[in-house]
Amino acid sequence: MYSNPNVGNIEFLSNRTVKIYYPNYIVHYRYASFIERLLARIIDIFIIIIPAAIIPILPAWLYFSLMHCSTDQQTLGQKVFNIKLKSADGKKVTFGQSTGRFFANILNALTFLIGYLMFFFNSKNQCLHDMLADTIVVSEIGRETR
């Protein structure tokens, strides 16, 4: 039986890309751009604006948290831009992790949006809520079989 110690590992490369090792293939990702993330968020806001107007916070929390821990690991807005949320250890995001990330967004507002500006000053393009939840937002750029 083929055994590889790298399975499940994530490799952060110097060219601002990421490799995640799976049993039968390796996926190459690049970090999602600020514009991709912003436009995806705008689409998602339009999706949840009416339910959130009726019941504050609950629809948005469930939408983002359930979509991010789903098999696709992306909201509908993120799907449009082919970006997804991954745990910084290369694994699928858990419901608890995506819930923490959602509520950490509140800190971005409390820091006068400095939490969002942190995106531009770190090697993994993470905003404050990504750092706190230990997540990265990526776009697949290729696969190779083992």
Side-chain angles (χ1 to χ4, degrees), residues 79-141:
K79 190 173 283 217
V80 169
F81 293 95
N82 192 34
I83 60 177
K84 64 172 58 179
L85 185 70
K86 300 289 284 180
S87 181
D89 63 6
K91 296 184 173 101
K92 187 172 164 257
V93 174
T94 65
F95 180 74
Q97 199 174 13
S98 59
T99 293
R101 184 178 184 271
F102 173 80
F103 286 107
N105 261 304
I106 296 168
L107 296 176
N108 292 324
L110 295 176
T111 61
F112 303 103
L113 305 182
I114 291 172
Y116 289 119
L117 295 176
M118 291 172 72
F119 172 94
F120 298 103
F121 301 103
N122 67 76
S123 62
K124 297 178 186 173
N125 289 6
Q126 293 173 298
C127 296
L128 177 61
H129 59 285
D130 295 313
M131 290 178 184
L132 293 174
D134 203 24
T135 59
I136 54 175
V137 182
V138 293
S139 177
E140 185 175 325
I141 55 175

Side-chain angles (χ1 to χ4, degrees), residues 32-48 63-64 68 74-85 101 137-138:
S33 73
F34 188 79
I35 295 297
E36 289 171 319
R37 293 178 64 166
L38 177 65
L39 294 175
R41 179 61 61 102
I42 290 169
I43 290 170
D44 291 329
I45 287 171
F46 279 116
I47 291 170
I48 62 168
Y63 172 77
F64 284 103
H68 282 146
Q74 56 192 175
T75 63
L76 296 174
Q78 289 173 324
K79 190 173 283 217
V80 169
F81 293 95
N82 192 34
I83 60 177
K84 64 172 58 179
L85 185 70
R101 184 178 184 271
V137 182
V138 293

Side-chain angles (χ1 to χ4, degrees), residues 14-70:
S14 60
N15 63 351
R16 302 183 62 79
T17 62
V18 176
K19 284 168 80 171
I20 301 179
Y21 295 84
Y22 296 99
N24 298 320
Y25 54 91
I26 301 169
V27 182
H28 299 263
Y29 295 100
R30 67 168 174 78
Y31 296 116
S33 73
F34 188 79
I35 295 297
E36 289 171 319
R37 293 178 64 166
L38 177 65
L39 294 175
R41 179 61 61 102
I42 290 169
I43 290 170
D44 291 329
I45 287 171
F46 279 116
I47 291 170
I48 62 168
I49 197 160
I50 293 175
I54 298 167
I55 306 168
I57 299 178
L58 184 66
W61 163 59
L62 290 175
Y63 172 77
F64 284 103
S65 295
L66 292 173
M67 295 292 277
H68 282 146
C69 72
S70 71

